[in-house]
């Protein structure tokens, strides 16, 4: 992986290329792994979904444990 480019200018041409990666943080990695270990696969999937506010109900947010709700582009909270 060291030979792979950190930044792909064809994907984000306006962003500056990174010249180095941030240093590893083992304590933070352990905390993240511990937290992820408490979630079921369904909860992990739900956290990765960002539903648009007009397409989801509060009950669905709770049922599927959605990670966030997108409110924009003319969609206003009701």
């Amino acid at each position: 992986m060291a030979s792979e480019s950190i930044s792909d200018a064809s994907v984000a041409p306006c962003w500056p290329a990174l010249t180095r990666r941030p240093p590893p943080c083992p304590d933070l990695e352990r905390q993240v792994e511990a937290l992820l270990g408490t979630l079921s696969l369904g909860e992990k999937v739900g956290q990765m979904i960002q539903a648009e506010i007009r397409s989801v109900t509060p009950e669905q947010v709770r049922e599927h444990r959605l990670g966030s709700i997108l409110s924009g582009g003319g969609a206003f909270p009701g």
Side-chain angles (χ1 to χ4, degrees), residues 41-50 64-68:
L41 179 58
E43 289 169 327
K44 291 173 186 173
V45 171
Q47 286 299 299
M48 298 198 55
I49 295 173
Q50 183 178 38
H64 301 294
R65 299 178 184 250
L66 300 185
S68 63

Side-chain angles (χ1 to χ4, degrees), residues 1 6 9 22-23 25-26 28 31 41-44 47 52-53 59-61 64 69 73-74:
M1 182 159 192
I6 296 173
C25 184
L28 180 58
Q31 290 175 3
L41 179 58
E43 289 169 327
K44 291 173 186 173
Q47 286 299 299
E52 204 276 332
I53 198 164
E59 293 78 24
Q60 290 170 321
V61 171
H64 301 294
I69 304 299

Side-chain angles (χ1 to χ4, degrees), residues 11-63:
V11 175
C14 298
W15 292 26
L18 296 176
T19 56
R20 60 189 169 115
R21 293 186 184 276
C25 184
D27 290 338
L28 180 58
E29 291 295 325
R30 278 191 289 278
Q31 290 175 3
V32 170
E33 289 298 324
L35 177 61
L36 289 175
T38 67
L39 300 176
S40 69
L41 179 58
E43 289 169 327
K44 291 173 186 173
V45 171
Q47 286 299 299
M48 298 198 55
I49 295 173
Q50 183 178 38
E52 204 276 332
I53 198 164
R54 293 178 287 193
S55 66
V56 66
T57 66
E59 293 78 24
Q60 290 170 321
V61 171
R62 285 188 289 275
E63 177 185 353

